Amino acid sequence: MTKTRTVLAAISVSLLASTSAFAGDVRIMWYSDGVEGDVIQDLLNRFMKDNPDIHVTLDNVAYKVIQEQLPIQLEAGQGPDIARVTNIKELAQHWLDLRPLVTDPKYWDDNFGDTLDWMRPDGSKAIPGFMTQLTLTGGFANKTLFEQAGVALPGDKASWDDWINAAAEVAKSQQLPAAFAIDRSGHRISGANISYGANYIGPDSTPAKVDDGTKAFVGKLVDWTAKGLMLKDTWVSAAGSTYRAAADDFVNAQIPFYYSGSWQVANLSTKIGDSFDWVATGSPCGTAGCSGVKGGAALVAIKYTKNPKDVAKVMEYLAREDVVKEFSERTLFLPAHKGVIEKGGLKWVSTDKNVGPALDKFVKAAGETLPAADALPPWKWANAYYAALVTRVSQVMAGELTLDDAWGKVDQDIADKVAEAK
Amino acid sequence: MTAAATLKTWTGAALAAPVVWLASIVNVPLKSWQRATGTGGMAAFFLAPNMAIFGIFVLVPLVINFFYSATSGTAYFLQDRTYVGLEQYQRLLDCGSYLDTATCREDLFWKAVHNTGLFVVVQVAMMTIVSIATALILNREIVGRSFWRAVFFFPVLLSPVVTGLIWRWILQRQGLLNLIVHDMGGEPYNWLTDRFWAFTAAVSVSVWAHMGFYTLILLAGLQAIPRDLYEAAEMDGTKPARVFWRITLPLLMPNLLVVIVLALIRAVQIFDEVYVLTGGGPGTSTLYLTQYIYEIGFASLLRNPGLASAASILMGLVLVVLTLLQLQVGRRGERKGARE
């Protein structure tokens, strides 16, 4: 009888253990745009060697999983211990405050203070994590195609019209399917909208109605799509706010100009290799400026973790200056660590001659963003605005709505989202 | 008795022992149960495990879903949500004219309803015609008949995501179809950004993916038609078309009705292969109800679980009507069979 009880107890314990985290287990949900999955794994292997009592598991998932499944897991009080996310502000209530857990909170405030508001509820002093990279939206041009077409690359202060006209000339000369593409994302077009004077944020930080700035650029975008200058596939061939990148079309030299962001540098370098020369162009200008939108991915601790102390140890290691520097150099990401930025001297790990100038261009363009763009990353309703824009603008491009109808729908969608969140 | 036979007996006895032991334990309460409740009680006893699974995985989520549809908010836990009664239903049904989606408060829901309606009509008609034609061909004495039956059934075994991806690779701008068009001197076309072709692709791919299943049902029906009827018609010199309309189709009708109702239910639920193939585009021209519910409930940054639940309850009601229709058709078939 005693034997039977012992066996049953052992089975119960092992069943319970299989469904709960062991002390020392830390799970990270991670997505990759380029090589950062390999780099972070390498860094974590070193951490585990020095800290044998902590086992870190890196779950590499698709970006879609981070966008669609993680929020639901979090709402259910579940999820990984740490996650790399871009929907940073809207999910802020799920992040763990590391302030009481880290050995030197001042280090975090000093080095990541500028971006901590992006990831914590308004008015909070929490330390939820840190930005693994700073990003800036911006363009890329296929230099080889421009040269083959005998078209000069538009200069630093060239407008959106200048760029599209030049790219159209290249596309015509080289018999390409389109002149340019922008990723199917509200975030991507927001820099351009703001360059034409848009402001999404109304009084009391509530969403403003669609203004003339947004109408001006989106009107152009719809017109360019109708004329076949913008690659139709990216925006039209999906419904709702589904994200679609056009990077593969640029990599395959189907478009001479591509508007995306700094996080594509490593991806383009890896995939293009020496097939053709490419350059980062910064953001084309509108009537109000030449702005991109800053953003990035953050590594945040999740408050539902069973092992907060171990999570804090992992986060402290990954936020260390030397680790951030190495991570940035190997992934070709712009760092968010103040110490790393101020000391400079980053040695980008790449033999690709296009990479260094491209990253330098993005660093320079980061100083040209407009205040209305800088206000977006820590703004709670930015994602709702982006989603409504994508959903409705792509309907206009598909011929289902007129622009005038679309503006009303965008305002209504955002108002519904705000009402729903109350 | 040989050694092998002895071993076999002993092995059999050893394997049967636990079953016999278990049966002897269960036997006592079962007998008492039967005595108390009769044969009806025994049926309930054996159905109970299945009903428990059905209850936990279907009925309970259905009830929870209904509660969700009466709440609003972005939280996923029911206790964190605000009770709003029928507000989500009112929002979904708030329309100036149900025929003009632009006049509806939730225009995307009604767009999805319209798209689904058109998809169901066209897809079920195509599915039925193609399945009958295939079944008729496969019922003939053709060379390699078993092979062809396997070929037509094969897509049914594929995952819908695989089906969607295969056809996406064929139909996208830089896909196989455009490569062939280009090699033949034609102009490549952006099939999936054209509303007509995207719809045609959605219908055709779903027919391709599921017709094997319906063909099998019809094939079984064709093989059940007595041969002597055809022989008599042949002796009378009846034309093949007349044989089809006067003999084959009437006798195939019970199977055909089952096929139509099953295809209807499946078409209303269409999601995965079309979602992978077109993403609901171009614009929202292949956005169907299930995708709308998925997007608004989980995927979109504008997600609204309450609205998604209300939409799924409304869709569920349509499916209930179709299922009742299927039951009715089934019963009529049984009655007819019994009369004959």
Side-chain angles (χ1 to χ4, degrees):
Chain A
M1 192 64 185
T2 316
K3 215 175 195 178
T4 315
R5 273 190 195 156
T6 313
V7 170
L8 285 173
I11 292 170
S12 311
V13 168
S14 49
L15 276 173
L16 281 172
S18 68
T19 55
S20 63
F22 282 112
D25 266 356
V26 174
R27 250 196 143 82
I28 302 180
M29 188 185 271
W30 184 271
Y31 76 92
S32 294
D33 286 317
V35 296
E36 65 269 34
D38 298 331
V39 176
I40 196 82
Q41 183 65 69
D42 188 29
L43 293 169
L44 288 171
N45 289 344
R46 267 188 253 161
F47 171 80
M48 285 189 281
K49 206 173 168 190
D50 296 340
N51 298 273
D53 53 327
I54 300 177
H55 180 74
V56 187
T57 307
L58 189 76
D59 293 320
N60 271 297
V61 298
Y63 181 61
K64 210 175 166 65
V65 174
I66 301 277
Q67 285 292 84
E68 295 178 7
Q69 293 177 24
L70 181 64
I72 293 160
Q73 290 180 20
L74 295 175
E75 284 292 344
Q78 293 175 348
D81 301 298
I82 297 172
R84 184 177 188 229
V85 294
T86 54
N87 197 358
I88 310 166
K89 184 79 171 185
E90 206 181 326
L91 300 171
Q93 74 271 23
H94 301 294
W95 310 151
L96 175 71
D97 182 9
L98 293 168
R99 190 174 286 280
L101 297 166
V102 293
T103 47
D104 184 8
K106 190 172 176 301
Y107 167 85
W108 289 74
D109 289 331
D110 290 347
N111 291 296
F112 299 108
D114 291 348
T115 51
L116 282 176
D117 275 343
W118 296 13
M119 59 186 86
R120 59 191 175 194
D122 293 341
S124 162
K125 289 290 165 208
I127 300 176
F130 66 98
M131 301 297 290
T132 57
Q133 80 205 91
L134 277 184
T135 60
L136 180 69
T137 57
F140 298 94
N142 183 325
K143 197 177 164 200
T144 305
L145 280 174
F146 272 82
E147 283 168 0
Q148 284 171 351
V151 177
L153 282 167
D156 269 354
K157 293 290 170 190
S159 67
W160 272 95
D161 288 311
D162 296 335
W163 269 104
I164 304 312
N165 290 338
E169 236 182 285
V170 176
K172 193 176 173 193
S173 149
Q174 302 300 301
Q175 296 180 313
L176 304 176
F180 80 108
I182 301 181
D183 292 337
R184 189 177 196 275
S185 153
H187 173 251
R188 261 18 133 244
I189 60 167
S190 292
N193 290 344
I194 287 165
S195 296
Y196 280 85
N199 184 14
Y200 295 174
I201 307 174
D204 306 328
S205 284
T206 52
K209 285 192 185 288
V210 173
D211 60 18
D212 290 343
T214 300
K215 289 177 185 175
F217 179 73
V218 171
K220 282 176 183 287
L221 195 63
V222 168
D223 189 40
W224 289 328
T225 308
K227 287 177 178 160
L229 296 173
M230 177 153 114
L231 198 64
K232 212 175 173 186
D233 311 26
T234 321
W235 277 67
V236 177
S237 61
S241 59
T242 306
Y243 170 71
R244 289 253 162 105
D248 285 346
D249 290 293
F250 184 74
V251 168
N252 292 323
Q254 295 289 297
I255 42 172
F257 180 59
Y258 169 46
Y259 193 83
S260 182
S262 58
W263 61 93
Q264 292 285 3
V265 170
N267 182 37
L268 298 184
S269 172
T270 309
K271 288 184 177 166
I272 295 170
D274 55 4
S275 301
F276 58 83
D277 288 335
W278 52 275
V279 291
T281 67
S283 287
C285 300
T287 49
C290 319
S291 186
V293 172
K294 285 176 188 159
L299 198 64
V300 287
I302 311 291
K303 75 176 178 191
Y304 313 112
T305 179
K306 303 271 191 303
N307 301 320
K309 285 182 182 164
D310 297 327
V311 165
K313 272 189 192 172
V314 176
M315 293 294 282
E316 277 196 299
Y317 165 75
L318 292 173
R320 244 167 49 188
E321 186 170 323
D322 58 323
V323 176
V324 169
K325 185 168 184 276
E326 183 182 340
F327 179 79
S328 301
E329 287 173 337
R330 291 173 64 186
T331 55
L332 309 179
F333 287 155
L334 307 179
H337 189 290
K338 203 172 178 186
V340 174
I341 298 166
E342 282 176 356
K343 283 178 189 157
L346 283 164
K347 295 184 183 72
W348 305 114
V349 181
S350 172
T351 52
D352 187 339
K353 65 180 189 315
N354 301 307
V355 165
L359 290 168
D360 292 344
K361 182 74 187 178
F362 275 108
V363 172
K364 187 173 169 248
E368 294 171 7
T369 52
L370 293 168
D374 293 338
L376 291 179
W379 187 47
K380 190 181 172 185
W381 303 109
N383 279 323
Y385 219 109
Y386 299 155
L389 276 176
V390 172
T391 305
R392 299 308 182 174
V393 171
S394 56
Q395 277 190 279
V396 176
M397 289 173 176
E400 292 178 0
L401 283 180
T402 64
L403 267 173
D404 285 338
D405 290 339
W407 304 137
K409 297 282 184 194
V410 169
D411 289 336
Q412 184 64 56
D413 289 347
I414 297 168
D416 285 345
K417 179 70 182 176
V418 173
E420 197 67 23
K422 275 178 184 169
Chain B
M1 193 181 269
T2 63
T6 312
L7 185 66
K8 203 175 169 184
T9 313
W10 276 88
T11 313
L15 287 173
V19 180
V20 172
W21 176 73
L22 197 67
S24 65
I25 292 173
V26 176
N27 198 29
V28 179
L30 262 187
K31 272 189 173 169
S32 325
W33 175 259
Q34 190 174 10
R35 250 181 251 122
T37 61
T39 49
M42 287 307 286
F45 177 81
F46 286 113
L47 280 174
N50 207 9
M51 292 312 287
I53 291 169
F54 178 77
I56 292 166
F57 293 106
V58 178
L59 281 182
V60 172
L62 193 72
V63 173
I64 293 174
N65 196 32
F66 184 75
F67 282 119
Y68 266 97
S69 73
T71 61
S72 79
T74 49
Y76 278 89
F77 279 129
L78 260 182
Q79 66 266 29
D80 299 333
R81 298 177 59 79
T82 315
Y83 175 77
V84 292
L86 296 175
E87 204 176 274
Q88 304 284 16
Y89 294 94
Q90 282 169 350
R91 191 169 150 181
L92 284 174
L93 299 173
D94 180 8
C95 246
S97 159
Y98 290 115
L99 296 176
D100 181 6
T101 57
T103 63
C104 300
R105 171 88 159 78
E106 288 303 321
D107 60 318
L108 292 180
F109 170 73
W110 283 100
K111 188 89 190 161
V113 169
H114 284 206
N115 289 345
T116 308
L118 181 65
F119 179 86
V120 166
V121 170
V122 178
Q123 196 256 17
V124 172
M126 257 185 81
M127 180 75 85
T128 311
I129 293 166
V130 173
S131 299
I132 290 177
T134 314
L136 285 171
I137 293 166
L138 292 178
N139 195 38
R140 296 171 76 96
E141 295 293 330
I142 54 170
V143 181
R145 187 163 70 165
S146 302
F147 169 76
W148 291 113
R149 282 180 184 175
V151 165
F152 280 99
F153 191 73
F154 178 69
V156 178
L157 304 175
L158 291 178
S159 142
V161 175
V162 172
T163 303
L165 275 177
I166 289 172
W167 283 98
R168 190 177 173 85
W169 289 334
I170 291 172
L171 297 169
Q172 65 190 9
R173 183 169 42 81
Q174 290 175 288
L176 188 65
L177 180 61
N178 273 342
L179 184 73
I180 295 167
V181 169
H182 182 262
D183 285 351
M184 290 170 70
E187 191 67 33
Y189 190 71
N190 218 341
W191 307 99
L192 295 179
T193 59
D194 181 299
R195 275 197 253 182
F196 172 76
W197 287 112
F199 173 75
T200 307
V203 170
S204 309
V205 168
S206 82
V207 169
W208 178 83
H210 303 294
M211 62 169 276
F213 174 69
Y214 301 110
T215 301
L216 217 60
I217 296 175
L218 293 173
L219 203 54
L222 284 174
Q223 287 174 353
I225 298 173
R227 299 295 310 162
D228 51 355
L229 290 174
Y230 290 109
E231 285 162 10
E234 199 178 343
M235 285 172 70
D236 291 344
T238 315
K239 287 179 180 167
R242 194 172 167 80
V243 170
F244 174 75
W245 290 110
R246 296 290 174 164
I247 299 174
T248 308
L249 203 57
L251 291 174
L252 197 58
M253 204 45 87
N255 295 59
L256 200 57
L257 282 173
V258 170
V259 162
I260 290 171
V261 176
L262 285 178
L264 262 174
I265 293 171
R266 202 158 192 168
V268 173
Q269 295 172 310
I270 186 74
F271 173 54
D272 19 30
E273 59 254 34
V274 176
Y275 180 64
V276 175
L277 179 70
T278 67
T284 54
S285 56
T286 56
L287 174 74
Y288 300 120
L289 256 177
T290 315
Q291 185 183 338
Y292 170 82
I293 292 165
Y294 166 69
E295 295 259 349
I296 205 77
F298 305 103
S300 172
L301 292 170
L302 299 167
R303 69 178 69 94
N304 182 338
L307 200 65
S309 298
S312 69
I313 294 280
L314 292 178
M315 183 179 160
L317 289 176
V318 174
L319 289 172
V320 165
V321 171
L322 290 175
T323 307
L324 289 175
L325 183 70
Q326 184 200 5
L327 286 173
Q328 187 68 22
V329 166
R331 279 182 196 144
R332 201 196 295 167
E334 277 169 22
R335 279 199 297 270
K336 202 176 171 191
R339 275 201 303 273
E340 283 162 0

